[in-house]
């Protein structure tokens, strides 16, 4: 028999259907709540609100579980690549060889930007925030229809749009970095795989091709793969909210990039490094920083600590901590900021304030350290996160588009403003 939960309010009562997910997660279906009782729910930050059902990513925050399409993140981190994971997330299964080859070929074909993009880049100041450039440029892609796009079937159009976004976001990112440094753009090399091609566009010089070491390529592949999706977080919810109005996929992903930018979301990886640098340069000890975070001095928080969902450990952080130790060892990096990071981590993990609130290092804590070690400038960290998250946004956008029950996102509110009162002419106002 279908399970229900009874809600009674004054003289009215309603049986709310209980929905169960494939991993036993339970939710109340409140679709009839307002029409039956006149009530709405109030849940700032949506901590208790499921906005959709989804088959893409499963997280158990208490147990530290993260799975893409059912496959544990640890297995994907060990055996897969970012491009294969992108296919998995978007199309719901691991690709066979022909499918993966076809997708790779599409990524190669879609890597370059229309030459007119040069003018768009020139319109930005050289020190413009790269996330602003990325969001604007991702939106701009849709303004340049592909040759023959009007004749593509809906399936073909979607896969080309997806390949275009995943491939071009990397080119835009690299070009924005080159422009910020006053360096000439380096065009994508069709012979290079995804990550190596990105590093080539970032760091090659005319007549001096940059050859990234396999350790660096692997580390970046891992970072992108671990960021590829994380169910209904701030930016994924943004993709769905914007997409629910039937906005195109580029506009929806551009909005997600804006959502990711903030320091409480993707911007945290930059904030971690800035915090470590400030502590190091300012002569503030790790113990002082912990004290400031506990006292909330000037709103200070330990960046890279805490997570809305993970309350024991972040499985991505665990994988990246091991990767950070490995890649820094391989590259022989000696970094004073790493010592600060280790001290903070050790002290916070033993401090009752952090233990009681279940505040553990999250993925951004270690990804920032690795990216710094492999030469990615700090102001590009969140851009790297956006490159990694693009397949997840595309998968979320597609799932919503294909869901017959999907409706335009339109929350309600409890109004707490002034009651009706009259307009007062300006000369009669106090
Ligand atoms: N440092 C110090 N105290 C913290 C921290 C922190 N990093 N994070 C949370 N707290 C404290 C809060 O002050 C609060 O304390 P109180 O109960 O005494 O009031 C308690 O822990 C709960 O905090 P909330 O803000 O309610 O937790 P929420 O789930 O809303 O926020 C968040 C999660 C945004 C990640 C938060 O922990 C934070 O700001 N962390 C730092 C930023 C960061 O690293 N963000 C990256 C998130 S991961 C990602 O986006 C990939």
């Amino acid at each position: 028999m279908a399970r229900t939960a009874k809600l009674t309010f004054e003289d009215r009562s309603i049986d709310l259907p209980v929905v169960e997910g494939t991993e036993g997660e339970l939710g109340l279906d409140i679709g009839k709540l307002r029409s039956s009782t006149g009530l709405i729910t109030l849940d700032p930050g949506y901590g208790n609100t499921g906005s959709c059902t989804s088959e893409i990513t499963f997280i158990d925050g208490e147990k530290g579980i993260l799975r893409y399409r059912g496959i544990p993140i640890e297995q994907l981190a060990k055996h897969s690549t970012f491009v294969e994971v992108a296919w998995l997330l978007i199309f719901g299964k691991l690709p066979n060889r022909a499918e993966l080859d076809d997708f790779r070929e599409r990524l190669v074909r879609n890597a370059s930007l229309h030459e007119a993009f040069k003018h768009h880049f020139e319109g930005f100041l050289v020190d413009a925030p790269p996330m602003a450039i990325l969001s604007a440029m991702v939106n701009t892609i849709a303004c340049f229809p592909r040759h023959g796009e009007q004749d593509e079937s809906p399936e073909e159009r979607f896969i080309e749009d997806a390949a275009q976004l995943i491939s071009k976001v990397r080119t835009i990112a690299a070009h924005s970095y080159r422009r910020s440094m006053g360096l000439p753009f380096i065009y994508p090399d069709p012979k290079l795989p995804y990550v190596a091609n990105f590093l080539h566009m970032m760091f090659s010089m005319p007549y001096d091709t940059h050859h990234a070491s396999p350790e660096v390529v692997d580390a970046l592949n891992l970072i992108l793969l671990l960021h590829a999706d994380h169910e209904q977080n701030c930016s994924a919810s943004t993709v769905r909210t914007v997409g629910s109005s039937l906005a195109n996929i580029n506009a929806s992903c551009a909005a997600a990039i804006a959502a990711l930018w903030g320091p409480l979301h993707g911007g945290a990886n930059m904030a971690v490094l800035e915090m470590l640098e400030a502590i190091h340069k300012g002569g503030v000890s790790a113990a002082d920083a912990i004290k400031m975070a506990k006292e909330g001095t000037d709103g200070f928080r330990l960046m890279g600590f805490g997570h809305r969902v993970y309350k024991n450990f972040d499985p991505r952080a665990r994988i990246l901590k091991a990767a950070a130790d490995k890649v820094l060892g391989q590259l022989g990096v000696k970094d004073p900021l790493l010592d600060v990071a280790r001290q903070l981590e050790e002290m916070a993990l033993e401090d009752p304030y952090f233990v009681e609130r279940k505040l553990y290092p999250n993925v951004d804590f270690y990804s920032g350290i690795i990216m710094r070690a492999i030469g990615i400038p700090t102001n590009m960290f969140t851009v790297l996160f956006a490159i990694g998250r693009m397949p997840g946004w595309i998968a979320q956008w597609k799932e919503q588009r294909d869901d017959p029950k999907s409706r335009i996102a339109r929350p309600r509110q409890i109004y707490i403003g002034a009651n009706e009162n009259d307009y007062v002419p300006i000369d009669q106002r106090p």
Side-chain angles (χ1 to χ4, degrees):
M1 206 178 93
R3 282 190 284 177
T4 57
K6 188 176 283 298
L7 180 106
T8 304
F9 173 62
E10 295 174 340
D11 58 346
R12 282 159 288 171
S13 219
I14 178 175
D15 287 322
L16 297 169
V18 172
V19 182
E20 182 166 355
T22 47
E23 292 289 339
E25 289 172 300
L26 299 174
L28 287 181
D29 178 347
I30 57 156
K32 297 262 178 337
L33 180 67
R34 196 171 145 272
S35 57
S36 304
T37 66
L39 297 170
I40 62 163
T41 56
L42 185 61
D43 185 18
Y46 309 128
N48 303 284
T49 298
S51 59
C52 60
T53 55
S54 179
E55 298 178 3
I56 302 170
T57 292
F58 173 68
I59 297 175
D60 184 327
E62 297 300 325
K63 296 189 186 136
I65 292 173
L66 169 61
R67 297 181 199 137
Y68 295 160
R69 300 286 186 181
I71 305 178
I73 195 69
E74 293 78 8
Q75 290 185 27
L76 293 167
K78 194 164 175 195
H79 303 295
S80 191
T81 61
F82 173 64
V83 171
E84 186 179 59
V85 160
W87 174 278
L88 168 72
L89 285 167
I90 296 169
F91 297 104
K93 66 178 184 69
L94 287 168
N96 62 31
R97 191 162 296 284
E99 287 164 337
L100 189 56
D101 287 347
D102 171 73
F103 193 51
R104 286 203 173 112
E105 206 275 313
R106 289 176 193 270
L107 293 178
V108 168
R109 191 154 31 82
N110 279 295
S112 299
L113 301 175
H114 192 288
E115 279 294 295
F117 266 76
K118 276 188 176 165
H119 303 296
H120 292 287
F121 279 105
E122 279 161 13
F124 284 95
L125 294 177
V126 281
D127 57 354
M131 287 295 276
I133 298 176
L134 195 69
S135 179
M137 296 293 189
V138 161
N139 225 334
T140 307
I141 293 172
C143 305
F144 293 86
R146 287 183 294 277
H147 183 66
E149 184 177 321
Q150 65 284 0
D151 301 325
E152 291 169 354
S153 67
E155 296 77 35
E156 176 64 12
R157 178 172 291 201
F158 171 74
I159 189 170
E160 274 292 290
D161 280 346
Q164 186 167 256
L165 272 167
I166 292 170
S167 197
K168 286 191 184 355
V169 71
R170 166 192 62 162
T171 311
I172 295 167
H175 282 13
S176 75
Y177 168 67
R178 303 288 296 192
R179 175 156 161 79
S180 74
M181 302 297 288
L183 295 168
F185 294 154
I186 298 289
Y187 290 97
D189 180 344
K191 295 186 293 306
L192 289 175
Y194 189 89
V195 170
N197 209 351
F198 170 67
L199 293 166
H200 159 65
M201 287 190 276
M202 285 282 288
F203 299 124
S204 282
M205 290 293 170
Y207 313 110
D208 183 11
T209 304
H210 173 86
H211 296 287
S213 72
E215 292 84 14
V216 167
V217 171
D218 288 351
L220 201 49
N221 224 320
L222 186 63
I223 289 177
L224 297 182
L225 181 156
L226 293 175
H227 282 85
D229 193 54
H230 213 235
E231 54 117 305
Q232 307 314 314
N233 53 75
C234 179
S235 56
S237 303
T238 301
V239 159
R240 283 182 178 260
T241 300
V242 177
S244 75
S245 74
L246 303 185
N248 71 53
I249 192 167
N250 290 66
S252 306
C253 290
I257 291 169
L260 188 74
W261 190 357
L264 296 189
H265 190 14
N269 55 14
M270 262 172 77
V272 169
L273 253 286
E274 283 160 4
M275 176 189 76
L276 294 177
E277 264 165 10
I279 293 174
H280 180 61
K281 281 195 197 135
V284 178
S285 69
D288 291 339
I290 298 270
K291 190 162 172 280
M292 280 162 61
K294 283 159 63 172
E295 289 170 0
T297 316
D298 297 331
F300 180 76
R301 286 187 163 198
L302 270 198
M303 300 314 285
F305 279 75
H307 199 277
R308 169 62 60 81
V309 177
Y310 294 121
K311 296 300 177 193
N312 276 317
F313 66 92
D314 178 341
R316 304 165 301 170
R318 201 171 258 190
I319 296 168
L320 278 189
K321 179 176 164 53
D325 289 341
K326 189 171 155 206
V327 75
L328 267 71
Q330 281 167 339
L331 300 177
V333 173
K334 295 265 176 290
D335 187 343
L337 296 197
L338 197 61
D339 298 332
V340 179
R342 290 213 169 102
Q343 283 169 17
L344 279 180
E345 185 191 9
E346 270 172 31
M347 294 174 87
L349 288 178
E350 286 178 2
D351 191 296
Y353 174 94
F354 291 89
V355 175
E356 279 159 21
R357 289 169 181 74
K358 302 190 169 185
L359 302 170
Y360 299 89
N362 58 47
V363 66
D364 294 318
F365 192 69
Y366 300 107
S367 63
I369 291 168
I370 298 180
M371 285 194 274
R372 178 179 160 91
I374 65 181
I376 306 288
T378 309
N379 72 344
M380 291 293 289
F381 285 5
T382 316
V383 170
L384 268 285
F385 189 158
I387 297 174
R389 187 52 59 86
M390 190 56 78
W393 290 331
I394 293 168
Q396 301 284 346
W397 186 91
K398 177 177 189 291
E399 187 173 69
Q400 176 182 257
R401 185 203 63 177
D402 295 346
D403 180 356
K405 294 199 298 298
S406 157
R407 304 167 75 196
I408 187 166
R410 201 326 185 168
R412 291 189 176 261
Q413 63 167 15
I414 301 287
Y415 175 70
I416 56 165
N419 293 116
E420 183 175 349
N421 61 91
D422 291 326
Y423 178 82
V424 180
I426 194 158
D427 51 3
Q428 293 172 25
R429 290 176 211 161

